[in-house]
Amino acid sequence: MKKFLEKIFLNEHIILALIFLNSVLIFIQDFDNIPTFIPYLDNIFTALFTIEMLVKVYHYGFEKYWKNGWNKLDFILITAALFSLLIDLIDRGHNIPLGYILVLRTLRLFKSFRIFRFMPDINKIVKGLRNAVKASYVITFTFIVLLIIISVLSCSIFKTVAPEYFDTPLESLYSIFRLFTAEGWYEIANLIASRSSTGMAIFAKLYFSVLMFIAGILGVSLINSIFVDAMVSSNSDRLEKKIDYLSEQLDILMKRDRDNETSSDTETREE
């Protein structure tokens, strides 16, 4: 029985298939008029994933199992799914009005996130993402501060003209964020221009055009370039190390050839 369980639950292809089937099942559950057995199938998948976790803990030992970051993620996701299942069982068995707590049932959706561990070179991608976050957090933080300042300023200037966009600093923040993403940025300027005097209309169009160019185009492009450059820098570092190693080996070979030629010349003279 032990070997059978290990053969099933230590096989990544089988686990990958189970994750895919469970994702499809979760997708189906929100449709109307689904068969009554569908939710029970989801519980069966949760049980299978729990068995998989226990088999791995038994096979590798808890200490070795817990050292793997992906196993930690699996443990958290499966525990969350079990917690949502427990809430579901309590509600079914006792008809207890748990209110908004039942929203925690959606935690079982996160079981499908386990699919990421099977992505090719996922560890390299995660490492690159970590480097990208470290490299870009200062400029991102600066960009957020700039966004807040511009939002407060825009709220003060255009609050009375366009309250639907700048009535409060929070509403203004959302509107400016939309502008930075180039989503209908000109519509705000045109609306303000249609409700204002000629001078104010010109000012509004210039104001939002400058914001769009500086923050929406240059700012976002700068963050993207830093982020992407940091993502690929780890690969570049590895290539540079390999090139340096090959150069060192080439220098050693060339030096050896020169030494051999020198020794040959010396022997020829002696003869």
Side-chain angles (χ1 to χ4, degrees):
M1 186 65 178
K2 171 187 171 184
K3 291 184 178 179
F4 174 76
L5 291 175
E6 290 181 348
K7 185 177 180 180
I8 296 296
F9 292 102
L10 296 181
N11 189 317
E12 291 191 348
H13 293 91
I14 294 177
I15 299 303
L16 182 61
L18 289 176
I19 293 173
F20 175 76
L21 292 174
N22 188 222
S23 301
V24 173
L25 190 66
I26 290 172
F27 177 78
I28 293 174
Q29 287 187 63
D30 279 336
F31 285 93
D32 297 329
N33 302 320
I34 61 171
T36 55
F37 65 86
I38 293 294
Y40 294 100
L41 287 179
D42 183 51
N43 295 337
I44 291 174
F45 276 103
T46 300
L48 290 174
F49 291 137
T50 304
I51 295 172
E52 177 216 354
M53 180 181 67
L54 295 176
V55 168
K56 285 184 175 180
V57 170
Y58 181 82
H59 180 78
Y60 298 113
F62 184 79
E63 184 176 354
K64 185 177 179 180
Y65 172 86
W66 195 250
K67 284 182 179 179
N68 188 300
W70 290 108
N71 288 338
K72 292 179 181 178
L73 177 63
D74 287 349
F75 179 86
I76 294 171
L77 296 177
I78 293 170
T79 302
L82 286 172
F83 183 64
S84 65
L85 175 60
L86 178 62
I87 292 175
D88 196 18
L89 291 175
I90 292 174
D91 182 52
R92 288 180 183 178
H94 301 85
N95 293 321
I96 299 175
L98 297 178
Y100 65 91
I101 298 179
L102 290 178
V103 176
L104 295 176
R105 287 177 180 173
T106 56
L107 290 174
R108 69 185 65 182
L109 295 172
F110 293 103
K111 288 184 294 181
S112 299
F113 283 6
R114 301 180 64 218
I115 198 76
F116 290 116
R117 71 173 299 172
F118 297 98
M119 291 177 59
D121 297 326
I122 184 62
N123 291 327
K124 294 180 181 178
I125 295 174
V126 172
K127 183 179 179 181
L129 182 62
R130 191 184 302 118
N131 293 337
V133 172
K134 289 181 180 179
S136 60
Y137 80 93
V138 174
I139 189 68
T140 303
F141 178 76
T142 304
F143 187 78
I144 293 173
V145 172
L146 178 63
L147 176 63
I148 294 173
I149 293 173
I150 293 174
S151 300
V152 174
L153 178 63
S154 300
C155 178
S156 301
I157 298 174
F158 303 111
K159 181 176 182 178
T160 56
V161 181
E164 62 268 49
Y165 291 112
F166 303 102
D167 187 46
T168 64
L170 183 61
E171 191 70 33
S172 178
L173 180 67
Y174 176 68
S175 300
I176 296 298
F177 183 78
R178 285 177 55 193
L179 184 145
F180 284 0
T181 59
E183 180 65 29
W185 68 273
Y186 56 88
E187 296 176 358
I188 299 176
N190 289 340
L191 177 67
I192 294 174
S194 65
R195 298 177 179 178
S196 307
S197 61
T198 303
M200 186 63 177
I202 295 174
F203 170 77
K205 290 180 178 180
L206 287 175
Y207 179 84
F208 288 108
S209 296
V210 170
L211 282 184
M212 181 60 193
F213 179 75
I214 294 177
I217 297 177
L218 297 183
V220 174
S221 299
L222 177 62
I223 294 175
N224 288 337
S225 62
I226 294 174
F227 196 86
V228 172
D229 182 66
M231 280 284 289
V232 301
S233 63
S234 58
N235 293 329
S236 300
D237 292 341
R238 284 195 295 270
L239 290 174
E240 289 177 1
K241 289 179 181 179
K242 289 181 179 179
I243 292 172
D244 291 340
Y245 174 76
L246 292 174
S247 299
E248 291 175 1
Q249 296 300 313
L250 183 61
D251 291 339
I252 292 172
L253 292 174
M254 293 177 64
K255 182 179 179 182
R256 187 179 300 171
D257 289 340
R258 287 195 298 268
D259 292 341
N260 290 336
E261 290 177 359
T262 302
S263 61
S264 297
D265 292 340
T266 303
E267 290 176 359
T268 301
R269 292 194 191 99
E270 290 176 353
E271 292 178 356

